Amino acid sequence: MSGNIAGRIGRWSARHRKTAVFGWLAFVVLAVVVGSLLPRGDLSGADTEVGAPAQAEEILERTGWEEPASEMVLVQRDEGTPQAAADAALTDLVATLEDAPEVENVASPLAGAPLVSADGRSALVTFDIRGSPDTAEDRIEPIMDAVAAVAAQHGDVRVEQFGGTSADLALGETLEDDFQRAELLSIPITLAVLLLTFGALVAALLPLVFAISAFIGALGLLGFTSQIWGVDDSAQIVMLLIGLAVGVDYSLFYLKREREERARGAGPVDALDIAAATSGRSVLISGITVVVAMSGMFLTGFAVFSGIGSATILVVATSVLGSLTVLPALMSWLGDKVEKGRIPIVGRRTAGPGRFWPAVLGVVLRRPLVAAVVAGAALLGLALPALSMDLRNESVTDLPQDLPVIQTYERISEAFPGGPSPAEVVIEADDVTAPQVTAAIADLREQALATGRMFEPIEVVTDDAGTVAVVSVPLAGDGEDQVSRDALAALEDDVIPATVGTLDDTTVVVAGGTASGVAFEELMRERTPLVFAFVLVLAFALLLVSFRSVVIAATAVVLNLLSVAAAYGVLVLVFQEGWGADLIGLSSTGGIVNWIPLFLFVILFGLSMDYHVFILSRIREARDRGHSTRDAVSSGITSSAGVVTSAAVIMVFVFLTFVTLSLTSLKQMGVGLALAVLLDATVVRAVLLPSVMQLLGERNWYLPRWLEWLPTLRHDTVPTPVPAPAVRIPAQAGARRDDEVVQLVATD
């Protein structure tokens, strides 16, 4: 069958543009309207955990356990402050809280609770907020105001509140401001780069409007897919990030190729046909590659990653669909009006690939071995620090350290080790109030304190049915360090087996921040090799089918791995060693958040294939027209230089907006994504790829005989124009003769 699916769809859309445009608008509106009627499928508590903590959450959810919204207030005096001043503040605070209608279950040292620090300078007052914990934020402000009033009356003593609800309120406001700033920055930056790329307002707006419409449509469809794969707020953020990147990229590929053919002298219909058959095919292959890479998220066994994977696949698939349908229809509708709104000076500089990249490419092709060695050594040098990567759990140190609530948390952690985030021993039995169970819990308390690694206050809470008890056990350390891990191991391996673990017909599992981190790390160690293998094998297979070359597929995979490894190395230099930390507002250094490497690999491997597929498609075009390998490489890279550079600049700046956010994990994600894309579009695309292909020569196109059954996709030169899909390109001075007629043929 002549033609390819992307070309056929594009030609149909261009010739039925009203149907395509209004069909797309109807699709977006319908997706939003119908999707809004479905409540978004959010993740449950058990979905956000793995291992034993997930089992604990499942027990609590199954038995209808409702954890109260608990808060604590630190009352702390300095060395020179009299104890009487602290006692007066503590007395006023307890009286104020007991009188507050929104407060219940007040516990303090005044009532005999073991809530005084070892040095005697700090005391804690704990309490619960009445009513459902889901709506506690609606009732916490009067409580916070009352605590603040006590603090104002006792200025010589520190009186500060911390808890899940107060922390969520403060962090939510900060992070919401962060994300709004990132969203507001990304769109103007994208538009500015597009204006520089096309030099015309209409041409710049078209990719941006298309990308936003694809994101909106995918967001509507998320209401459906989230019923199967639950999502959280992070999925929508990644969806916007990836949607904007691929939507603009695909539009650039299409629009730039159509403008290029028009500049060569092709008529409007012919130019669009060529763009549909060539760039449209590249978009289709790129989109499938991104989908394949993101599918690796489902193999992690972590519901949060599965939700992100499903959301990303949705926005990429929607962008591909729109690129093949509504985009050629809009371009056909606009015609040469896409050049409206020309910008002086800039508009005159966007016609060709410029001088820089052709000059670089000329040097690379003259000295391919030197270029390959230098570029490869540079990337390996950047990747080398990754060997010392220290993975850690995401913790309070990743949050904005200038927030008062975070500073209070740190002071409580120092005075009461493990207090703000204790281990939680979940016990399920027919009757947790039975004498043998309560005796075992008392033994657990005694033996836990005897280890010297666990501290007061050890609290026990049971549900109304008497079938579940939760024992909170503060651990030594900061909750993330090895001290806390050793304390957790002592609790799980020694204390529990000797106490509550001896009870018959009783389930005992440990949850809490430290346990969650350890379980997640174990899961990542188990699943990461599987995800890497899945993505690499399927990407190789897809490239093999697309370009009918084992060498091309293998080279693309290896080069992408190099750019990802280099990004890992820079993450270590910045976030572990502190290089340039001040430039990105990093207040402290440490290890790399444990979910970042796998997350970056999956996303980067998919996105970087955009460039490789687009460039390799142009090289393969020239090769199929009879060019030598050197000329095909030169032609393919030079002709794609402008669009790849523009697409990379957009991605880099969009990703760098995440460096402005407060969370360290998001800073790491932004730096990793931006750097890998930058390296991929410069060092890899302009130096390593052409030098390696030049060195390999004809071996680039090697395909074993036993793989000859793979479908063939080639570009043929024919002597005369024929009905579509063949397109006539009027010859112009300086144009290559074999560009006069192009026909795309696919055979099985």
Side-chain angles (χ1 to χ4, degrees):
M1 179 183 294
S2 63
N4 62 53
I5 187 171
R8 293 197 300 273
I9 293 174
R11 283 189 291 274
W12 182 91
S13 299
R15 288 158 176 75
H16 301 83
R17 56 197 187 195
K18 287 186 178 180
T19 302
V21 172
F22 289 111
W24 174 258
L25 292 176
F27 159 74
V28 172
V29 172
L30 188 64
V32 172
V33 172
V34 177
S36 64
L37 298 177
L38 289 172
R40 192 181 76 176
D42 292 325
L43 296 170
S44 66
D47 290 333
T48 60
E49 300 284 1
V50 297
Q55 185 182 357
E57 286 292 339
E58 188 276 328
I59 292 173
L60 297 177
E61 291 177 4
R62 174 168 43 81
T63 56
W65 179 278
E66 192 173 64
E67 189 79 27
S70 299
E71 294 281 313
M72 61 184 71
V73 180
L74 173 68
V75 179
Q76 189 177 67
R77 64 179 176 84
D78 294 331
E79 289 286 356
T81 303
Q83 182 63 43
D87 292 341
L90 182 62
T91 302
D92 285 352
L93 174 66
V94 171
T96 299
L97 291 174
E98 289 179 340
D99 290 341
E102 303 88 359
V103 172
E104 61 182 358
N105 301 327
V106 178
S108 74
L110 299 181
L115 297 172
V116 178
S117 64
D119 61 6
R121 292 194 305 109
S122 304
L124 280 181
V125 178
T126 64
F127 62 91
D128 296 334
I129 302 174
R130 292 183 187 273
S132 170
D134 296 334
T135 58
E137 284 190 11
D138 299 334
R139 300 183 300 281
I140 195 173
E141 288 194 9
I143 303 173
M144 296 174 65
D145 292 341
V147 173
V150 173
Q153 294 171 6
H154 299 273
D156 52 347
V157 177
R158 182 176 285 116
V159 179
E160 299 174 341
Q161 182 175 342
F162 173 82
T165 305
S166 55
D168 287 346
L169 189 64
L171 289 171
E173 293 173 353
T174 300
L175 297 180
E176 184 177 354
D177 291 342
D178 275 355
F179 289 128
Q180 286 179 352
R181 182 171 66 251
E183 291 171 3
L184 291 174
L185 281 173
S186 61
I187 292 177
I189 288 172
T190 301
L191 180 59
V193 176
L194 289 171
L195 285 171
L196 291 174
T197 300
F198 292 108
L201 182 61
V202 174
L205 285 173
L206 181 59
L208 186 58
V209 170
F210 166 73
I212 293 174
S213 71
F215 167 72
I216 293 173
L219 194 60
L221 295 176
L222 189 63
F224 296 92
T225 60
S226 65
Q227 307 304 313
I228 303 173
W229 301 285
V231 296
D232 58 8
D233 292 337
S234 62
Q236 186 170 320
I237 296 165
V238 175
M239 204 175 173
L240 173 65
L241 185 76
I242 303 302
L244 194 61
V246 300
V248 170
D249 270 13
Y250 296 162
S251 303
L252 278 173
F253 294 166
Y254 227 116
L255 191 53
K256 268 287 192 177
R257 184 58 184 264
E258 189 269 347
R259 290 290 87 193
E260 177 185 325
E261 298 301 331
R262 289 289 287 133
R264 288 179 175 178
V269 175
D270 291 348
L272 197 51
D273 280 353
I274 296 173
T278 54
S279 291
R281 171 181 172 271
S282 297
V283 166
L284 183 59
I285 297 172
S286 297
I288 294 174
T289 307
V290 177
V291 167
V292 165
M294 294 307 301
S295 297
M297 289 288 199
F298 295 109
L299 300 179
T300 61
F302 186 41
V304 175
F305 279 1
S306 296
I308 291 175
S310 65
T312 305
I313 289 172
L314 196 60
V315 75
V316 171
T318 305
S319 298
V320 170
L321 175 65
S323 298
L324 300 181
T325 56
V326 71
L327 195 56
L330 288 171
M331 291 167 60
S332 174
W333 209 326
L334 288 170
D336 289 338
K337 291 179 182 177
V338 76
E339 300 288 350
K340 289 286 187 181
R342 301 295 296 178
I343 300 174
I345 302 176
V346 175
R348 294 197 297 268
R349 296 174 56 200
T350 58
R355 298 178 180 178
F356 179 75
W357 291 121
V360 171
L361 186 61
V363 174
V364 168
L365 294 181
R366 284 195 298 271
R367 298 287 187 272
L369 181 59
V370 174
V373 170
V374 171
L379 289 179
L380 288 174
L382 286 175
L384 192 60
L387 296 176
S388 61
M389 181 181 290
D390 178 24
L391 297 179
R392 62 177 177 80
N393 298 321
E394 195 165 11
S395 68
V396 70
T397 59
D398 297 305
L399 301 174
Q401 298 299 300
D402 57 347
L403 285 181
V405 69
I406 301 302
Q407 295 171 359
T408 300
Y409 175 92
E410 297 288 359
R411 281 189 277 268
I412 294 175
S413 296
E414 183 178 355
F416 300 90
S421 182
E424 294 184 342
V425 182
V426 178
I427 304 168
E428 184 182 28
D430 292 336
D431 183 8
V432 294
T433 63
Q436 65 270 25
V437 178
T438 56
I441 292 175
D443 287 343
L444 184 149
R445 176 196 295 271
E446 181 180 348
Q447 293 193 29
L449 295 174
T451 65
R453 297 177 176 181
M454 292 157 246
F455 310 101
E456 293 284 9
I458 296 178
E459 300 176 339
V460 182
V461 182
T462 61
D463 66 343
D464 294 337
T467 58
V468 176
V470 177
V471 184
S472 298
V473 183
L475 303 175
D478 62 7
E480 303 296 332
D481 58 14
Q482 192 58 44
V483 174
S484 295
R485 292 165 183 262
D486 291 342
L488 176 67
L491 176 64
E492 292 180 326
D493 300 338
D494 301 328
V495 176
I496 289 177
T499 56
V500 292
T502 62
L503 298 171
D504 295 329
D505 301 322
T506 302
T507 301
V508 183
V509 288
V510 181
T514 305
S516 295
V518 171
F520 183 78
E521 286 182 2
E522 291 175 352
L523 179 69
M524 289 298 100
R525 280 196 295 268
E526 175 188 338
R527 297 299 180 92
T528 295
L530 179 63
V531 174
F532 271 59
F534 173 83
V535 173
L536 294 177
V537 170
L538 286 190
F540 176 84
L542 180 61
L543 292 169
L544 177 63
V545 171
S546 301
F547 297 102
R548 289 180 55 81
S549 168
V550 172
V551 177
I552 290 291
T555 301
V557 168
V558 171
L559 294 184
N560 274 280
L561 284 175
L562 267 178
S563 61
V564 172
Y568 285 171
V570 173
L571 283 181
V572 171
L573 292 177
V574 174
F575 293 94
Q576 282 184 212
E577 305 301 328
W579 291 22
D582 294 339
L583 298 177
I584 60 173
L586 190 64
S587 57
S588 62
T589 57
I592 307 302
V593 176
N594 50 20
W595 58 267
I596 288 290
L598 179 62
F599 185 81
L600 284 182
F601 168 76
V602 171
I603 290 184
L604 286 173
F605 205 86
L607 290 182
S608 60
M609 279 298 180
D610 271 357
Y611 306 135
H612 280 281
V613 168
F614 184 67
I615 295 168
L616 291 172
S617 294
R618 298 301 294 264
I619 294 173
R620 186 78 206 204
E621 276 185 59
R623 173 65 182 173
D624 287 347
R625 290 196 296 265
H627 287 259
S628 66
T629 297
R630 179 189 176 97
D631 290 344
V633 170
S634 178
S635 171
I637 292 181
T638 301
S639 62
S640 63
V643 64
V644 170
T645 300
S646 301
V649 169
I650 289 171
M651 278 197 185
V652 168
F653 277 107
V654 168
F655 293 148
L656 284 179
T657 60
F658 277 71
V659 177
T660 67
L661 304 185
S662 301
L663 293 180
T664 302
S665 57
L666 293 181
K667 289 180 183 290
Q668 292 179 358
M669 185 172 73
V671 170
L673 288 171
L675 183 76
V677 169
L678 181 63
L679 290 174
D680 193 68
T682 53
V683 178
V684 173
R685 182 260 298 178
V687 181
L688 262 182
L689 178 63
S691 60
V692 169
M693 292 190 74
Q694 173 70 2
L695 289 170
L696 291 172
E698 293 304 308
R699 291 185 292 273
N700 282 293
W701 320 109
Y702 171 70
L703 184 71
R705 289 184 178 180
W706 57 273
L707 289 176
E708 290 292 342
W709 56 268
L710 291 174
T712 302
L713 191 65
R714 68 179 185 274
H715 295 72
D716 291 335
T717 301
V718 295
T720 57
V722 296
V727 292
R728 176 107 167 106
I729 307 176
Q732 72 181 112
R736 294 189 302 272
R737 189 175 62 185
D738 57 6
D739 276 343
E740 292 181 356
V741 180
V742 177
Q743 183 180 31
L744 194 64
V745 178
T747 59
D748 293 332

